[in-house]
Amino acid sequence: GVQSAQGARMGRDKVPAGGKAAIAKAAADKKAVEDAKAKGVESMECRHILVEKHSKAVEIIEIITSGKMQFNEAAREYSMDKAGKSGLLGWKRRAELDQDFWAAALDIPEGKYSEEPVKTEWGYHIIKIEGRK
């Protein structure tokens, strides 16, 4: 909906803490994402945390961002998907993932996680990208 598009935009406009170095890093991350998209990503190594409610996903993102918990710990604690260790889905190709999940994952720099919950038919995901090829 309109709200999530606005939220996503606001998230992108935030100047990261840490001044010029952080801004340069964010720009490099963004460029890496764009290069990967242009090249065509074959597969991505993903982790995720799956919950039922948007509000819960937002709360978990805040916990991880604040440093109270690492992503992997939060996955073990909160995710409804217990199949992978610490939320690990492993290397997935486009056809193996929900298309909304894949589209959102393409925008996430390696080593980072989604700052907004990603909705699929399964619920709300926080996606972390470990690698691309």
Side-chain angles (χ1 to χ4, degrees), residues 89-108:
L89 291 170
W91 286 96
K92 296 288 182 191
R93 292 173 178 276
R94 183 182 197 131
E96 296 176 275
L97 289 170
D98 180 282
Q99 293 311 294
D100 294 327
F101 187 109
W102 178 268
L106 280 177
D107 278 327
I108 303 167

Side-chain angles (χ1 to χ4, degrees), residues 44 59 71 91 94 96 117 133:
M44 291 186 271
E59 190 186 314
F71 187 96
W91 286 96
R94 183 182 197 131
E96 296 176 275
K133 56 187 176 192

Side-chain angles (χ1 to χ4, degrees), residues 48 50 75-76 79-90 92:
H48 77 144
L50 174 64
R76 288 194 295 272
S79 186
M80 300 188 306
D81 179 3
K82 302 294 185 198
K85 190 164 164 39
S86 308
L88 187 64
L89 291 170
K92 296 288 182 191

Side-chain angles (χ1 to χ4, degrees), residues 25-39:
K25 173 88 176 88
D29 280 348
K30 193 169 191 296
K31 185 177 181 331
V33 163
E34 279 159 16
D35 290 350
K37 275 189 184 172
K39 223 177 36 215

Side-chain angles (χ1 to χ4, degrees), residues 99-127:
Q99 293 311 294
D100 294 327
F101 187 109
W102 178 268
L106 280 177
D107 278 327
I108 303 167
E110 285 186 35
K112 298 269 170 47
Y113 53 87
S114 51
E115 288 171 19
E116 295 278 321
V118 177
K119 188 179 190 335
T120 71
E121 61 179 301
W122 312 108
Y124 292 90
H125 306 259
I126 305 158
I127 305 169

